[in-house]
Amino acid sequence: MTTGAPHAAPAPTLASAPASTLAPAPAWAVRAAHALSLLALPVCVWRLPFAFGYGMGGAAPDPVWWNTPYVLGLSVLTELAAFLGLGFVRRWGEVFPAWAPRLGGRRVPPAAVIVPGALAGVLFSALCVDWLALAFTEGPRGWPYADGWNVLAMTVSGLMTLWGPLLLALTVAYHRRRR
């Protein structure tokens, strides 16, 4: 007698994966990877009014046809880049997904993650230093918005300055786990 349920192949386990994928990411790294997306979200939301011609207390952007797709696309790409930070702490950052043609199930070369992560972390950290220099030397006068909007702009973009240092910390943690 059969139950009528189709036979399913057993799901692959971590035991069948390369040994380098067995070390779990530290809890702080998992929280930091999730924080990347949350840090990028306020900046993405802040940009949305610019897409529709509202200057947020400053000069309104020129009403050209590409403003809306550009700002929306930039916000989506920013969140996707932040989402890639999860690759430092998830299995898909160590082993290519099974559905990937020719690469499925193979080990991700650590340099393919570490080099871009370190370069992006250094770039965003340099932008953090530039933002801090502007914030401390110019204060709210350094922003092109009306008084109330300046504080909001500085707060939102100030959160984004944490992206570079977090990315560098995640890259170092990934490197230590993968060596």
Side-chain angles (χ1 to χ4, degrees), residues 119-137:
L119 291 174
V122 167
L123 171 72
F124 285 123
S125 293
L127 292 173
C128 168
V129 170
D130 181 58
W131 182 90
L132 287 170
L134 178 70
F136 285 116
T137 58

Side-chain angles (χ1 to χ4, degrees), residues 48-177:
L48 293 179
F50 291 104
F52 302 103
Y54 185 69
M56 307 284 274
D62 293 332
V64 293
W65 68 270
W66 50 267
N67 269 358
T68 302
Y70 169 74
V71 172
L72 293 176
L74 184 61
S75 293
V76 168
L77 287 176
T78 301
E79 277 300 321
L80 286 175
F83 175 73
L84 285 177
L86 289 173
F88 289 105
V89 297
R90 295 283 185 251
R91 181 170 162 79
W92 54 267
E94 298 174 1
V95 177
F96 287 105
W99 54 262
R102 290 202 211 162
L103 298 174
R106 291 188 182 177
R107 184 173 176 255
V108 173
V113 176
I114 294 167
V115 171
L119 291 174
V122 167
L123 171 72
F124 285 123
S125 293
L127 292 173
C128 168
V129 170
D130 181 58
W131 182 90
L132 287 170
L134 178 70
F136 285 116
T137 58
E138 306 252 348
R141 295 184 318 269
W143 297 87
Y145 309 108
D147 289 337
W149 292 104
N150 280 342
V151 174
L152 183 59
M154 288 181 74
T155 303
V156 166
S157 58
L159 287 172
M160 191 70 171
T161 62
L162 298 174
W163 202 357
L166 280 176
L167 196 54
L168 284 174
L170 286 171
T171 303
V172 169
Y174 181 87
H175 172 68
R176 286 183 178 165
R177 270 189 319 122

